[in-house]
C-alpha cells in the first residue's frame, strides 16, 4: 500500500486564485475578492489548525509585471512570508488563467515572458527561504491547460475569448509550461512541479450507441496536454517525461457525462469509480498523483468529501501513489459570472470585510476523513492537529 510522503499533509486547502478576464472584459481577482490577500496570515493559521499544512495558492502575474521585465512583488511577498511564519507549505500557481494586459497570448513573446517571470518567482521564493525545511518548493506553472483551451480557445467563456482555436491555445500553454519549468529548475533545482488538469469520464447516451467512438475520443482528450508536456505527443513542442513530475487531477461531481446528454450521477450504475480514474492516470504516466481540486457546493460538501476520501483510500490500498487531496476552494467565493455567493468552503465569507465563518459540518467531515486516512496509514501525523 502506498504511503503519501510528498506534502506536509495528506489533506490540503486550496485558495481560489483565478485572474482571468471574463467575456465582458472584466478582470477577476479571487484572492482579493475573498480577502485572502489581506488575511493570508490568519487564513494559513486557520488551515494549520485543521491539519491542512499544505495549501494551493496563487501568484498574480498581472499585478507583478505591469511593466515588461520589471517585477513588483508587493502583492506576493506578504503572502510568502505569512505562509513561512505559519509553517504552511504552498503549491504556487503561476498562471491561473490570467496574464498582463500588454501581452498577446498567441505570440512567442508570451512563452518567453512567462518563462522569465516563472524563473524570477522561483528565485524570489528561494531567496525568501522557501523550502529550507523538509518540504521542497512546489509550483503549478499553468493551471488547467485543457479546460482553459476549451473555455478560452473554443467557447469564448473567458480570455482570450476565441472560437475554434482550442488546440492552438493548448499548444501555446504547453510551450509556456515547459519553458517555465526550465526557468524554475534553473533558479531552484529542488522545485517540484505539479501539472494540474481535470479528469473526466464520457459515455455515449443510452439512445445513441453509435456515438461510442466519439465519446471515447472526448474522454481521451483529457490526456492531450499531459501527453504533450511529457513528449509522448507532438514532441516538437519540446516535452520530456521529466516535466511530468506530479500529476494534479481536478475532480468534481459533474466530471462524468453523456456525450451530448447531461451529467452521469453517482447513483447511476455507469458512473465510473474515482479510484479507477486515479489508477488509470497512474498507469498511463507512472507518476505520483495529487487530487489537486475537489469539492462541492452547499449541503453536497459533506457527502462529496466522504465519497472522495473512500475512493482515495481504495486507490491507496491498490498501491496507487495518491499524495494528497486538496479541498478546493477552501473559502466561499463570489461566482465568476455573476458574483453570487458560492458556498463551497470550509470557511464562509461572513461580511464585506472578509470575515470567516467555519462551516461546522464540513469541518467534522474533514476530521473524519483525516482519521480514516490516518488509521489506514497507521501514522497519526496525517490526522488533524488537535
Amino acid at each position: 500500500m502506498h504511503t503519501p510522503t510528498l506534502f506536509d499533509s495528506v489533506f490540503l486547502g486550496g485558495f481560489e486564485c483565478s485572474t482571468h478576464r471574463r467575456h465582458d472584459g472584466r478582470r477577476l481577482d479571487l484572492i482579493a475578492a475573498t480577502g485572502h490577500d489581506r488575511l493570508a496570515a490568519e487564513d494559513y493559521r486557520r488551515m494549520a489548525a485543521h491539519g491542512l499544512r499544505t495549501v494551493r495558492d496563487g501568484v498574480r502575474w498581472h499585478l507583478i509585471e505591469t511593466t515588461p521585465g520589471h517585477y513588483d512583488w508587493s502583492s506576493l511577498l506578504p503572502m510568502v512570508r505569512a505562509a513561512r511564519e505559519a509553517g504552511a507549505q504552498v503549491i504556487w500557481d503561476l498562471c491561473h488563467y490570467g496574464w498582463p494586459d500588454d501581452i498577446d497570448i498567441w505570440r512567442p513573446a508570451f512563452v518567453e515572458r512567462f518563462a522569465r517571470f516563472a524563473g524570477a518567482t522561483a528565485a524570489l521564493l528561494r531567496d525568501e527561504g522557501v523550502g529550507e525545511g523538509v518540504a521542497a518548493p512546489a509550483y503549478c506553472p499553468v493551471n488547467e491547460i485543457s479546460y482553459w483551451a476549451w473555455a478560452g480557445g473554443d467557447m469564448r467563456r473567458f480570455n482570450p475569448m476565441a472560437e475554434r482555436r482550442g488546440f492552438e491555445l493548448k499548444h501555446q500553454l504547453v510551450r509556456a509550461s515547459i519553458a517555465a519549468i526550465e526557468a524554475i529548475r534553473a533558479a531552484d533545482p529542488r522545485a517540484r512541479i505539479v501539472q494540474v488538469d481535470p479528469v473526466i469520464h464520457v459515455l455515449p447516451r443510452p439512445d445513441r450507441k453509435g456515438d461510442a467512438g466519439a465519446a471515447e475520443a472526448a474522454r481521451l482528450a483529457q490526456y492531450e496536454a499531459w501527453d504533450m508536456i511529457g513528449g509522448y505527443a507532438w514532441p516538437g513542442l519540446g516535452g520530456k517525461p521529466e516535466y511530468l513530475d506530479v500529476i494534479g487531477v481536478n475532480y468534481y461531481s459533474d466530471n462524468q457525462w453523456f456525450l451530448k446528454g447531461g451529467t452521469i450521477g453517482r447513483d447511476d450504475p455507469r458512473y465510473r469509480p474515482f479510484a479507477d480514474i486515479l489508477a488509470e492516470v497512474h498507469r498511463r504516466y507512472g507518476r505520483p498523483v495529487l487530487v489537486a481540486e475537489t469539492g462541492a457546493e452547499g449541503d453536497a460538501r459533506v457527502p462529496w468529501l466522504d465519497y472522495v476520501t473512500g475512493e482515495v483510500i481504495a486507490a491507496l490500498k491498490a498501491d496507487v501513489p495518491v499524495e494528497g487531496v486538496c479541498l478546493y476552494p477552501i473559502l466561499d467565493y463570489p461566482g465568476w459570472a455573476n458574483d453570487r455567493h458560492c458556498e463551497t468552503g470550509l470557511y464562509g465569507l461572513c461580511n464585506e470585510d472578509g470575515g470567516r465563518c467555519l462551516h461546522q459540518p464540513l469541518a467534522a467531515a474533514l476530521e473524519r476523513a483525516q482519521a480514516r486516512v490516518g488509521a489506514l496509514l497507521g501514522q497519526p501525523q496525517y490526522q488533524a492537529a488537535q
Side-chain angles (χ1 to χ4, degrees), residues 1-4 312-322 372-379:
M1 183 181 69
H2 179 76
T3 298
V312 167
I313 287 173
L316 289 170
K317 287 180 176 179
D319 206 27
V320 178
V322 181
R372 290 172 68 186
V373 173
L376 173 73
L377 300 175
Q379 299 188 22

Side-chain angles (χ1 to χ4, degrees), residues 347-369:
Y347 279 89
L349 307 178
C350 299
N351 53 52
E352 293 181 357
D353 294 328
R356 310 294 194 230
C357 302
L358 180 66
H359 185 70
Q360 291 286 354
L362 187 57
L366 174 59
E367 288 188 12
R368 291 195 304 272

Side-chain angles (χ1 to χ4, degrees), residues 120-177:
T121 303
L124 177 80
L125 268 60
R126 177 202 65 208
D127 294 344
E128 284 290 313
V130 173
E132 287 184 351
V134 176
Y139 300 91
C140 168
V142 181
N143 179 67
E144 289 195 329
I145 289 174
S146 295
Y147 177 73
W148 189 354
W150 174 79
D154 285 325
M155 304 303 293
R156 296 179 59 91
R157 292 195 174 184
F158 59 78
N159 57 209
M161 267 78 77
E163 291 182 291
R164 295 184 296 277
R165 298 184 72 179
F167 207 62
E168 180 186 355
L169 181 57
K170 187 175 291 186
H171 278 206
Q172 183 74 330
L173 296 175
V174 165
R175 290 187 190 98
S177 181

Side-chain angles (χ1 to χ4, degrees), residues 105-120:
I105 195 172
W106 303 104
R107 308 301 299 176
F110 171 80
V111 175
E112 297 157 4
R113 280 269 295 274
F114 181 56
R116 289 193 293 270
F117 169 71

Side-chain angles (χ1 to χ4, degrees), residues 87-355:
Q89 178 191 24
V90 182
I91 302 169
W92 292 103
D93 281 22
L94 299 183
C95 189
H96 202 111
Y97 308 137
W99 66 90
D101 287 330
D102 68 289
I103 303 175
D104 181 350
I105 195 172
W106 303 104
R107 308 301 299 176
F110 171 80
V111 175
E112 297 157 4
R113 280 269 295 274
F114 181 56
R116 289 193 293 270
F117 169 71
T121 303
L124 177 80
L125 268 60
R126 177 202 65 208
D127 294 344
E128 284 290 313
V130 173
E132 287 184 351
V134 176
Y139 300 91
C140 168
V142 181
N143 179 67
E144 289 195 329
I145 289 174
S146 295
Y147 177 73
W148 189 354
W150 174 79
D154 285 325
M155 304 303 293
R156 296 179 59 91
R157 292 195 174 184
F158 59 78
N159 57 209
M161 267 78 77
E163 291 182 291
R164 295 184 296 277
R165 298 184 72 179
F167 207 62
E168 180 186 355
L169 181 57
K170 187 175 291 186
H171 278 206
Q172 183 74 330
L173 296 175
V174 165
R175 290 187 190 98
S177 181
I178 290 169
I181 293 168
E182 287 290 341
I184 290 166
R185 288 177 171 168
D188 193 341
R190 305 167 302 162
R192 302 303 302 259
I193 305 296
V194 184
Q195 295 286 1
V196 175
D197 240 334
V199 286
I200 61 174
H201 188 57
V202 185
L203 294 174
R205 274 179 16 197
D207 61 340
R208 297 182 64 92
K209 298 298 185 183
D211 287 346
E216 179 64 0
R219 188 188 75 84
L220 291 175
Q222 69 185 305
Y223 296 122
E224 286 178 350
W226 287 324
D227 284 353
M228 293 173 190
I229 291 168
Y232 307 114
W234 293 85
L237 297 175
K240 298 177 184 177
E242 54 263 35
Y243 295 146
L244 291 176
D245 184 9
V246 181
I247 306 293
V249 303
N250 293 351
Y251 188 69
Y252 295 96
S253 60
D254 57 356
N255 280 36
Q256 299 196 33
W257 62 85
F258 295 111
L259 189 70
K260 306 174 185 175
T263 301
I264 304 172
R266 278 199 293 128
D267 57 348
D268 191 308
R270 289 159 294 197
Y271 188 87
R272 188 180 187 191
F274 183 38
D276 289 357
I277 296 174
L278 291 169
E280 181 178 313
V281 171
H282 175 59
R283 284 196 304 271
R284 189 177 183 97
Y285 299 111
R287 301 303 305 155
V289 179
L290 169 69
V291 182
E293 293 182 18
T294 195
E297 191 167 353
D299 293 340
R301 280 174 279 192
V302 169
W304 182 252
L305 179 57
D306 290 342
Y307 170 73
V308 169
T309 300
E311 293 298 298
V312 167
I313 287 173
L316 289 170
K317 287 180 176 179
D319 206 27
V320 178
V322 181
E323 291 291 340
V325 179
C326 183
L327 280 66
Y328 197 98
I330 204 70
L331 301 175
D332 290 359
Y333 68 100
W336 287 1
N338 53 16
D339 293 324
R340 72 178 183 86
H341 185 167
C342 298
E343 295 182 324
T344 60
L346 179 63
Y347 279 89
L349 307 178
C350 299
N351 53 52
E352 293 181 357
D353 294 328

